[in-house]
Amino acid sequence: MKNRLQRIINPKTGHTVMLAIDHPYFQGQVSNLSNIRESIWPLLPYSDAVMLTRGTLRNSMDTGMPTPVVLRVSGGASILKDDLSDEEITVSMREAVRLNASAVALSVYVGAPHEKQTLMSLSKLVNEGEEYGMPVLAVTAVGREMVRDARYLGLATRIAAELGAHIVKTYYCENFEKVVEGCPVPIVIAGGKKIPEEEALKNVYEAIQAGASGCDYGRNIFQSEFSVPMIRAVRSIVQENYTADEALELFNSLKTGK
Ligand code: 5RP
């Protein structure tokens, strides 16, 4: 368990830059995830871990890829349905071990119609994960009607940690230090829809200052016109103590090739 966790979260810094590319599991086609070799492979050397599905791992990754894998093992809903929370576990723990995953990930929907189902899936994964030494990352997914504030995200992340999640992923929000304070396990932030790079970098910086262990950004990296400069700028904040302004300067100089 500890060895797997240390593959994801650098023990020297206590931080991680995860790259999330699991979106098609409920969104279908997603821009810049059609040709993974072209859009994602160049980002892997700058990622401490990559979060993806079994399908992407099987179809689009090189067997020699050294980047640790966080395997998305929940699914069953699609964006065509109103209720995204109707998810179950899609991959067995045995299969996750066979695929050499460093952690498994699922979404929990606190306050959504299938709250109990997703929380019980988390508990089941944690029970199985303990048997195999496999960490579980809980994504505190936000239903359409849920407000992304510190009160709600604090509640959802704490519930995930109480049920045994080893890492929790959530959204950045105002007063994020309150979310971190109330959650006894490492927190990484998702990025959400694509926003300007400057803003996305500021969110990473503020989350790290508030005590987050890193980020698990997806669209704000792979949908950037300059995705390699962007992940390198994110990395400079998370792993090299850059400020948001210094990271933006790095981004601008890398994108212009200076
Ligand atoms: C979907 C996920 C995604 O991995 C997550 O949303 C991160 O990607 P982005 O930064 O694009 O939001 O867990 O449920």
Side-chain angles (χ1 to χ4, degrees):
M1 178 75 76
K2 200 167 169 193
N3 176 280
R4 284 196 169 98
L5 278 169
Q6 289 189 353
R7 290 184 211 161
I8 300 168
I9 301 178
N10 184 329
K12 290 202 187 102
T13 60
H15 287 167
T16 181
V17 174
M18 292 171 54
L19 177 66
I21 57 167
D22 58 322
H23 311 59
Y25 92 92
F26 75 107
Q27 294 185 9
Q29 299 216 11
V30 172
S31 43
N32 290 7
L33 290 185
S34 295
N35 186 342
I36 299 267
R37 180 184 278 261
E38 197 174 275
S39 59
I40 301 302
W41 283 26
L43 305 174
L44 295 178
Y46 306 103
S47 311
D48 293 312
V50 60
M51 180 171 166
L52 43 61
T53 59
R54 164 164 57 181
T56 292
L57 183 61
R58 182 193 290 155
N59 300 321
S60 308
M61 289 295 163
D62 186 79
T63 46
M65 175 185 71
T67 316
V69 164
V70 175
L71 190 67
R72 157 72 66 179
V73 297
S74 70
S78 85
I79 44 166
L80 299 182
K81 294 275 171 102
D82 286 336
D83 178 18
L84 290 177
S85 71
D86 196 2
E87 285 195 357
E88 293 188 25
I89 294 171
T90 54
V91 182
S92 68
M93 191 57 73
R94 201 182 149 90
E95 170 75 342
V97 172
R98 189 186 72 81
L99 292 170
N100 196 26
S102 295
V104 291
L106 87 165
S107 293
V108 293
Y109 288 85
V110 174
H114 290 84
E115 173 186 275
K116 180 175 177 188
Q117 180 178 307
T118 61
L119 291 177
M120 293 315 289
S121 291
L122 166 60
S123 308
K124 184 170 180 278
L125 274 187
V126 170
N127 285 332
E128 291 172 3
E130 295 298 335
E131 278 179 38
Y132 286 88
M134 180 68 76
V136 177
L137 182 152
V139 181
T140 59
V142 182
R144 288 196 176 99
E145 63 289 355
M146 249 50 104
V147 190
R148 292 183 191 182
D149 63 15
R151 194 160 164 238
Y152 169 72
L153 296 177
L155 175 134
T157 52
R158 180 59 181 258
I159 289 174
E162 291 298 323
L163 294 182
H166 301 89
I167 306 176
V168 177
K169 169 170 163 176
T170 192
Y171 291 92
Y172 178 69
C173 63
E174 260 182 51
N175 301 317
F176 195 67
E177 63 287 349
K178 296 257 176 278
V179 179
V180 178
E181 256 170 42
C183 180
V185 299
I187 292 194
V188 292
I189 61 160
K193 284 190 183 145
K194 174 83 180 68
I195 52 177
E197 281 82 0
E198 182 172 359
E199 220 178 298
L201 291 171
K202 195 161 162 277
N203 288 346
V204 176
Y205 177 72
E206 285 177 3
I208 293 289
Q209 295 309 301
S213 298
C215 60
D216 187 14
Y217 265 20
R219 290 161 288 181
N220 278 291
I221 291 175
F222 66 73
Q223 289 179 350
S224 169
E225 192 186 341
F226 303 98
S227 55
V228 170
M230 184 57 183
I231 196 167
R232 289 185 61 183
V234 167
R235 193 168 184 81
S236 74
I237 297 172
V238 175
Q239 297 292 20
E240 296 159 44
N241 292 321
Y242 278 42
T243 63
D245 286 344
E246 287 167 343
L248 184 64
E249 209 176 299
L250 176 68
F251 172 74
N252 285 329
S253 65
L254 290 170
K255 89 177 186 193
T256 52
K258 284 183 190 153

